[in-house]
Amino acid sequence: MLHIRLPGFAIKILYGAVFIFFLAFTFTLPVSVQARKHRNYINTQHPVGTVVKASGPCFNNSDRYVDCGNGTVTDTVTRLIWLKKADCLEATDWATANYKAAEIKSGDCNLSDNSSPGDWRLPTKDEVTALLPPSNLNCTNPTLVDQEGSGCFAQGTQWATGIQFNYWSSTTGPYQEAGNSAWAIFLNFGGVINTSKPSLVYGWPVRGTP
């Protein structure tokens, strides 16, 4: 039988390597187990592929406009959800206003509604027109109803902040002018006017129907 006699220094090196391997295995195993446990915990709480939907409308038994407490207000007549912070989007041209509205998400504009980019949009001409109060109320500056829907915004409970005097709709102008004009609401006198798209007008986003 062949016997190999290693020098003393070689034996020490061999023992040292075995010891280092043992230490590495001892400390790596618990860390790996803990990492695996942590990974499983994360996956349990936030499964891959989970889609978080934006909060829906809210209602009560007395108001037309109901503050949902998450930066949004529900119009219980049209079922639209409006941004409570009506001055979040600055005055821009029509195309930019559409892009900016579509980019809004939870965390912007005082929102905590779980909304994502693409949830918000500019309202249509019909939707902004529905904001206007009945003529018999004689509301002025702004021409909006209050939270209850029975009085004028300026004198009643106000359901939005930062109201500006004009806002874009997403609806383009009459057929022959559709390429360069769109409808905008003017709350200083209560009219919906065909407006040149390059004009600087504010945006007041909504989400919901249609």
Side-chain angles (χ1 to χ4, degrees), residues 139-155:
C139 299
T140 58
N141 203 24
T143 49
L144 293 171
V145 294
D146 60 8
Q147 180 172 299
E148 292 78 11
S150 57
C152 293
F153 184 93
Q155 288 76 43

Side-chain angles (χ1 to χ4, degrees), residues 94-186:
W94 181 80
T96 301
N98 277 278
Y99 282 123
K100 292 294 185 182
E103 291 174 350
I104 291 177
K105 62 186 183 304
S106 189
D108 300 335
C109 309
N110 298 334
L111 287 172
S112 57
D113 64 338
N114 294 322
S115 60
S116 302
D119 286 338
W120 293 91
R121 59 179 175 81
L122 291 185
T124 65
K125 178 188 176 185
D126 289 342
E127 289 168 345
V128 295
T129 302
L131 289 172
L132 297 175
S135 58
N136 64 299
L137 288 179
N138 295 316
C139 299
T140 58
N141 203 24
T143 49
L144 293 171
V145 294
D146 60 8
Q147 180 172 299
E148 292 78 11
S150 57
C152 293
F153 184 93
Q155 288 76 43
T157 304
Q158 300 181 0
W159 52 272
T161 62
I163 297 293
Q164 302 299 312
F165 75 96
N166 62 5
Y167 291 101
W168 283 119
S169 81
S170 61
T171 307
T172 55
Y175 176 75
Q176 66 273 20
E177 301 177 23
N180 56 22
S181 70
W183 295 97
I185 188 171
F186 287 78

Side-chain angles (χ1 to χ4, degrees), residues 31 35-36 46 56 63 67 79 84 101 119 143 150 154 169 205:
V31 171
R36 186 164 57 252
H46 305 286
D63 299 324
D67 189 335
R79 300 298 183 95
K84 182 175 181 179
D119 286 338
T143 49
S150 57
S169 81

Side-chain angles (χ1 to χ4, degrees), residues 5 34 58 78-79 91 97 181 203 208:
R5 184 179 181 84
Q34 291 299 320
C58 56
T78 64
R79 300 298 183 95
S181 70

